[in-house]
Amino acid sequence: MMPASGVLAMVTGLGRDAYLPSVVRRERLLPANVLLLTLLPQIVVVPMKLTGAVWQGPVFLFAIGLALAATAALFRGVSAVEAPPPPRAGLWRETAEGIRFTARHPALRAIALYLVLSAVVAEIAGAVAGEAWETAFRGLSGAGSGSAWWLMSAPAYVPCVLGALVAVLLHRRIGTFRLAWWALIVSGPFTLLLALSGIGPGWAWYVLGTAVPAAGRLIAFVALLSHRQAVTPHRLLGRTGAVLIVLTTVADGVAGLLEEPAERLAEVGGVAPAALATVAALAAAVPLLRARRSADHDVNGGLGDDRARRVMGRTGD
């Protein structure tokens, strides 16, 4: 069941991401992705993390079955007619076309490099955050107070709300692609605060050092997905998404080799582990910085976002 459910979840995600541009206008892609990928899943995830309980039993199964039935009924009510798919060119040729488009497009190539690098360096940040958690909440966890549990669970729900709010408010002002790398650059240095988890109110440094970078990564995820949906031809959306999933899966496997060295580094303590995690996170954003001009050209035909809106306003287009 575990492999089968994982495959179904992956295929469902690819289908959702590929179909969304057909029913949502370009300027609404990011808010739609924020709603579908960030806010709605938290209806289930956040209560489970805050209470520490795993929902199970007949009542939970009944609720899930009812939700699935309602979802199927909603799908049956969709009246939009999709364009017929193009003639099949063969599995290998179509796969090669998706790989070639991802490798040649500057923005998609930068997104692929960022996803690979961020997956590899995530082990370092995770190990440093885990060690900081032990230091920051050593005293509070023994108190057993409700406020302590809320503080320890803050990184589970704060990034979702904060990231969704920032993304929706700023994406039209600065553009989706630039929003992604700005979010990573601004939020990344907060990881340094993990080095202060044993000083003063360590829980505050831990929450800021984990929640803010997590919000930045979430903003970057939805922004890059929205940009990819905007610049990729509809017939290639599923294939480019599959290429990115394969690359990140391989990167996750490579990152697993770094788990033990990262844990040993985190045990050293001090500023060095947090500094290395910060530098690694910022380095992962370098491909996005290098591709920002080509991304602006893809979206606005060579004009910046603000200038393009002014031109469109004058022409009435």
Side-chain angles (χ1 to χ4, degrees):
M1 287 303 297
M2 292 296 291
S5 60
V7 170
L8 289 175
M10 182 190 69
V11 173
T12 301
L14 285 174
R16 177 200 59 223
D17 297 342
Y19 180 67
L20 189 63
S22 300
V23 294
V24 176
R25 293 197 304 271
R26 190 177 194 169
E27 64 274 12
R28 302 285 182 135
L29 282 173
L30 188 138
N33 283 318
V34 167
L35 178 64
L36 294 174
L37 303 178
T38 304
L39 296 179
L40 289 181
Q42 303 312 313
I43 296 175
V44 175
V45 175
V46 169
M48 292 178 63
K49 290 185 176 180
L50 291 180
T51 60
V54 178
W55 298 344
Q56 55 187 353
V59 176
F60 178 66
L61 293 177
F62 175 77
I64 292 297
L66 184 62
L68 290 176
T71 302
L74 290 174
F75 271 110
R76 294 289 297 176
V78 175
S79 59
V81 179
E82 293 185 76
R88 296 297 301 272
L91 176 62
W92 294 112
R93 183 175 298 180
E94 292 181 355
T95 303
E97 186 180 11
I99 297 173
R100 185 165 53 247
F101 183 82
T102 304
R104 291 180 177 178
H105 195 285
L108 293 188
R109 185 168 62 246
I111 293 173
L113 288 174
Y114 161 71
L115 292 176
V116 170
L117 291 175
S118 61
V120 172
V121 304
E123 288 291 342
I124 302 176
V128 174
E131 190 68 23
W133 188 93
E134 294 289 343
T135 303
F137 294 104
R138 186 176 295 124
L140 288 178
S141 60
S145 62
S147 59
W149 177 253
W150 279 81
L151 289 173
M152 288 186 285
S153 304
Y157 56 87
V158 170
C160 305
V161 179
L162 179 62
L165 180 63
V166 172
V168 172
L169 290 178
L170 296 183
H171 77 281
R172 290 188 179 181
R173 183 179 298 272
I174 64 178
T176 54
F177 197 85
R178 278 181 287 174
L179 173 64
W181 58 262
W182 267 117
L184 294 172
I185 290 175
V186 171
S187 65
F190 279 82
T191 307
L192 285 171
L193 296 177
L194 294 177
L196 304 176
S197 58
I199 301 175
W203 58 266
W205 306 128
Y206 171 82
V207 170
L208 289 174
T210 53
V212 176
R217 292 191 298 269
L218 185 145
I219 293 170
F221 172 73
V222 295
L224 294 177
L225 172 61
S226 302
H227 184 81
R228 179 171 67 84
Q229 291 170 328
V231 301
T232 304
H234 285 188
R235 64 186 181 85
L236 294 176
L237 275 171
R239 278 173 271 179
T240 56
V243 170
L244 296 179
I245 287 178
V246 171
L247 290 176
T248 52
T249 302
V250 174
D252 286 336
V254 174
L257 302 176
L258 300 177
E259 182 177 359
E260 185 175 351
E263 291 178 353
R264 292 180 179 177
L265 175 66
E267 292 173 357
V268 173
V271 179
L276 179 59
T278 302
V279 171
L282 294 176
V286 170
L288 302 180
L289 291 172
R290 295 174 62 88
R292 61 188 186 276
R293 291 185 178 179
S294 62
D296 290 341
H297 185 274
D298 288 337
V299 175
N300 302 312
L303 299 174
D305 285 356
D306 296 333
R307 185 182 173 194
R309 282 195 291 269
R310 290 197 297 270
V311 171
M312 291 174 66
R314 287 196 299 268
T315 59
D317 189 4

